[in-house]
Amino acid sequence: QTLTYTRTAKIDPVTGAVSDYSTWTPKKGDDFTAVTSPAKEGYIVSKATSTAINDVPATADDTEETIIYRKLGSYVPVVPEGVTVPPGTDTTSKVYPKNPNDPTKPGTPTTTIPEIPGTTPVGPDGTPLTKNPNGGYDLPPVPTDPTQNTTITYVKDGSQVAVVHFVDEKGNSVNESVVEIGDTGKEISKSNVDAVKA
């Protein structure tokens, strides 16, 4: 945006000399207005609008503001080996929904994850997802950091689940949780845990 300033002066009709300049003043009502950040599918934005600046003096420096777009994470289904996925079942990753009212936040999931016979999908904390009366399972909430993916693991019925959370000394998450699956009564492998620690 560009602001326009004007000033007056006196001109000697004989000599043409210019004097008595007035102060530069902006055009009436001319300010830096807030600009709405355009929505971009699959992204969240750092600010919904730019900063409005009023009463800008003519001597002020130019102003520059950066608005950052960050890519939204996705729900990532993981189907274990040996499980047959019925034809037509969509197990591809799904980007978090956008928020129609606030581009700085993701929306609330309204779709479901499909059902695969003989399995139960669990969220990243190892909790089974809720069965939707219209079919499939309800998706878990978008994580606090919406740029991170949410892994949803289909667990064979009759299996056990172990979830490992990685936190620092203050209890803050430092890595994505690891979900391990094994047959009931058998020791669960820690290969994935070692891989993350490495």
Side-chain angles (χ1 to χ4, degrees):
Q1 298 181 65
T2 303
L3 302 187
T4 301
Y5 295 82
T6 60
R7 66 177 178 175
T8 60
K10 289 182 180 180
I11 301 177
D12 188 305
V14 177
T15 64
V18 182
S19 62
D20 295 334
Y21 287 100
S22 67
T23 303
W24 284 107
T25 56
K27 181 181 175 182
K28 188 175 182 180
D30 203 0
D31 295 305
F32 286 125
T33 57
V35 178
T36 300
S37 302
K40 186 171 176 60
E41 193 71 37
Y43 288 81
I44 55 170
V45 67
S46 57
K47 290 184 67 176
T49 63
S50 65
T51 304
I53 308 174
N54 302 320
D55 302 321
V56 184
T59 54
D61 293 332
D62 289 345
T63 299
E64 183 175 304
E65 184 173 9
T66 302
I67 306 293
I68 301 172
Y69 285 80
R70 295 186 299 154
K71 190 172 178 60
L72 282 169
S74 301
Y75 290 108
V76 183
V78 177
V79 181
E81 292 183 14
V83 172
T84 302
V85 179
T89 301
D90 183 10
T91 57
T92 59
S93 298
K94 293 176 175 57
V95 177
Y96 300 141
K98 67 178 182 180
N99 188 321
N101 302 315
D102 187 351
T104 66
K105 300 175 183 177
T108 301
T110 56
T111 57
T112 59
I113 191 168
E115 182 178 355
I116 297 178
T119 67
T120 300
V122 300
D125 62 353
T127 302
L129 302 187
T130 304
K131 193 81 163 33
N132 189 292
N134 296 318
Y137 291 84
D138 292 331
L139 291 166
V142 175
T144 304
D145 180 356
T147 65
Q148 299 299 310
N149 291 338
T150 297
T151 301
I152 298 174
T153 307
Y154 283 90
V155 179
K156 292 181 183 178
D157 293 343
S159 299
Q160 58 180 341
V161 178
V163 182
V164 180
H165 302 286
F166 298 91
V167 297
D168 59 20
E169 64 276 4
K170 295 180 181 179
N172 300 314
S173 297
V174 295
N175 235 317
E176 185 176 346
S177 299
V178 172
V179 178
E180 275 286 357
I181 304 167
D183 294 330
T184 302
K186 294 184 179 179
E187 184 176 344
I188 294 180
S189 166
K190 63 184 184 70
S191 57
N192 286 348
V193 177
D194 290 337
V196 172
K197 288 167 61 180

Coordinates of all heavy atoms in Angstrom, one line a residue, residues 2 6 41-42 48-49 61 68 74 78 81 97 115 125 130-131 144-145 159 162 179 186-187 190:
T2 N 0.4 2.3 -0.6 CA 1.1 3.6 -0.7 C 0.3 4.7 -0.2 O -0.9 4.8 -0.6 CB 1.6 3.9 -2.2 OG1 2.3 2.8 -2.7 CG2 2.4 5.1 -2.2
T6 N 0.3 15.7 0.8 CA 0.3 17.0 0.0 C 0.7 18.1 1.0 O 0.7 17.9 2.2 CB -1.1 17.3 -0.5 OG1 -2.0 17.4 0.6 CG2 -1.5 16.2 -1.5
E41 N -5.6 -23.6 0.5 CA -6.0 -24.9 0.9 C -4.8 -25.7 1.3 O -3.7 -25.7 0.7 CB -6.6 -25.6 -0.4 CG -7.3 -26.9 -0.1 CD -8.6 -26.7 0.7 OE1 -9.3 -25.8 0.4 OE2 -8.9 -27.6 1.6
G42 N -4.9 -26.4 2.5 CA -3.8 -27.2 3.0 C -2.8 -26.4 3.9 O -1.8 -27.0 4.3
A48 N -4.4 -13.6 10.5 CA -5.5 -13.5 9.6 C -5.5 -12.2 8.8 O -6.0 -12.2 7.6 CB -6.8 -13.6 10.4
T49 N -5.0 -11.2 9.3 CA -4.9 -9.9 8.6 C -3.5 -9.2 8.9 O -2.9 -9.5 9.9 CB -6.0 -8.9 8.9 OG1 -5.9 -8.6 10.3 CG2 -7.4 -9.5 8.7
D61 N 9.6 5.7 8.2 CA 10.2 4.8 7.2 C 9.2 3.9 6.6 O 8.0 3.7 7.1 CB 11.2 3.9 8.0 CG 12.4 4.7 8.5 OD1 12.7 5.7 7.8 OD2 13.0 4.3 9.5
I68 N 3.3 -15.7 7.4 CA 3.8 -17.0 7.0 C 2.7 -18.0 6.9 O 1.8 -18.1 7.7 CB 4.8 -17.4 8.1 CG1 5.9 -16.4 8.3 CG2 5.4 -18.8 7.8 CD1 6.8 -16.6 9.5
S74 N -1.3 -34.2 8.3 CA -2.3 -35.1 7.7 C -2.6 -36.2 8.7 O -1.8 -36.5 9.6 CB -1.9 -35.7 6.4 OG -1.6 -34.8 5.4
V78 N -2.2 -46.4 9.0 CA -1.1 -47.4 8.9 C -1.8 -48.8 9.0 O -2.4 -49.1 10.1 CB 0.0 -47.3 10.0 CG1 1.0 -48.4 9.9 CG2 0.7 -45.9 9.8
E81 N 1.0 -55.4 8.2 CA 1.1 -56.5 7.2 C 0.2 -57.7 7.6 O -0.1 -58.0 8.7 CB 2.6 -57.0 7.3 CG 3.6 -56.0 6.8 CD 5.0 -56.6 6.8 OE1 5.2 -57.8 6.9 OE2 6.0 -55.8 6.7
P97 N -8.6 -30.6 7.9 CA -9.5 -29.7 7.2 C -9.2 -28.2 7.6 O -8.6 -27.9 8.6 CB -10.9 -30.1 7.8 CG -10.5 -30.7 9.2 CD -9.2 -31.4 9.0
E115 N -13.6 -48.4 7.9 CA -13.5 -49.7 8.7 C -12.8 -50.8 7.9 O -13.1 -50.9 6.7 CB -14.9 -50.1 9.1 CG -14.9 -51.4 10.0 CD -16.3 -51.7 10.4 OE1 -17.3 -51.0 10.1 OE2 -16.5 -52.8 11.1
D125 N -2.2 -41.9 20.7 CA -2.0 -42.2 22.1 C -2.4 -43.7 22.5 O -2.4 -44.1 23.6 CB -2.8 -41.3 23.0 CG -4.3 -41.3 22.7 OD1 -4.7 -42.1 21.8 OD2 -5.1 -40.7 23.4
T130 N -13.6 -43.9 18.0 CA -15.0 -44.1 18.3 C -15.7 -44.5 17.0 O -15.5 -43.9 16.0 CB -15.6 -42.8 18.8 OG1 -14.9 -42.4 20.0 CG2 -17.1 -43.0 19.1
K131 N -16.5 -45.6 17.1 CA -17.2 -46.0 15.9 C -18.3 -45.0 15.6 O -19.0 -44.5 16.5 CB -17.9 -47.4 16.3 CG -18.4 -48.1 15.1 CD -17.3 -48.9 14.3 CE -17.7 -49.9 13.4 NZ -19.0 -49.8 12.7
T144 N -2.1 -30.2 18.8 CA -1.8 -28.9 19.2 C -0.9 -28.1 18.1 O -1.2 -27.0 17.8 CB -1.1 -28.8 20.5 OG1 -1.8 -29.5 21.5 CG2 -0.8 -27.4 21.0
D145 N 0.0 -28.9 17.6 CA 0.8 -28.3 16.5 C 0.2 -28.9 15.2 O 0.5 -30.0 14.8 CB 2.3 -28.7 16.6 CG 3.2 -28.2 15.5 OD1 2.6 -27.6 14.5 OD2 4.4 -28.4 15.5
S159 N -5.0 -58.3 19.4 CA -3.6 -57.8 19.6 C -3.5 -56.9 20.8 O -4.5 -56.4 21.3 CB -3.1 -57.1 18.3 OG -3.1 -57.9 17.2
A162 N 1.3 -51.1 22.6 CA 2.2 -50.4 23.5 C 2.5 -49.1 22.9 O 2.8 -49.0 21.7 CB 3.5 -51.2 23.7
V179 N 3.7 -46.3 18.3 CA 2.7 -47.3 18.7 C 3.2 -48.6 18.2 O 3.6 -48.8 17.0 CB 1.4 -47.0 18.0 CG1 0.4 -48.1 18.3 CG2 0.8 -45.6 18.5
K186 N 2.5 -62.1 24.0 CA 3.9 -62.2 23.5 C 4.6 -60.8 23.7 O 3.9 -59.8 23.7 CB 3.8 -62.5 22.0 CG 3.3 -63.9 21.7 CD 3.4 -64.3 20.2 CE 2.9 -65.7 19.9 NZ 3.0 -66.0 18.5
E187 N 5.9 -60.9 23.7 CA 6.7 -59.7 23.9 C 6.6 -58.8 22.7 O 6.6 -59.3 21.6 CB 8.1 -60.1 24.2 CG 9.0 -58.9 24.5 CD 10.4 -59.3 24.8 OE1 10.7 -60.4 25.1 OE2 11.3 -58.4 24.8
K190 N 10.7 -53.7 20.3 CA 11.1 -52.3 20.6 C 11.9 -51.7 19.5 O 12.6 -50.7 19.6 CB 11.8 -52.2 21.9 CG 13.1 -52.9 22.0 CD 13.7 -52.7 23.4 CE 15.1 -53.3 23.5 NZ 16.1 -52.5 22.8

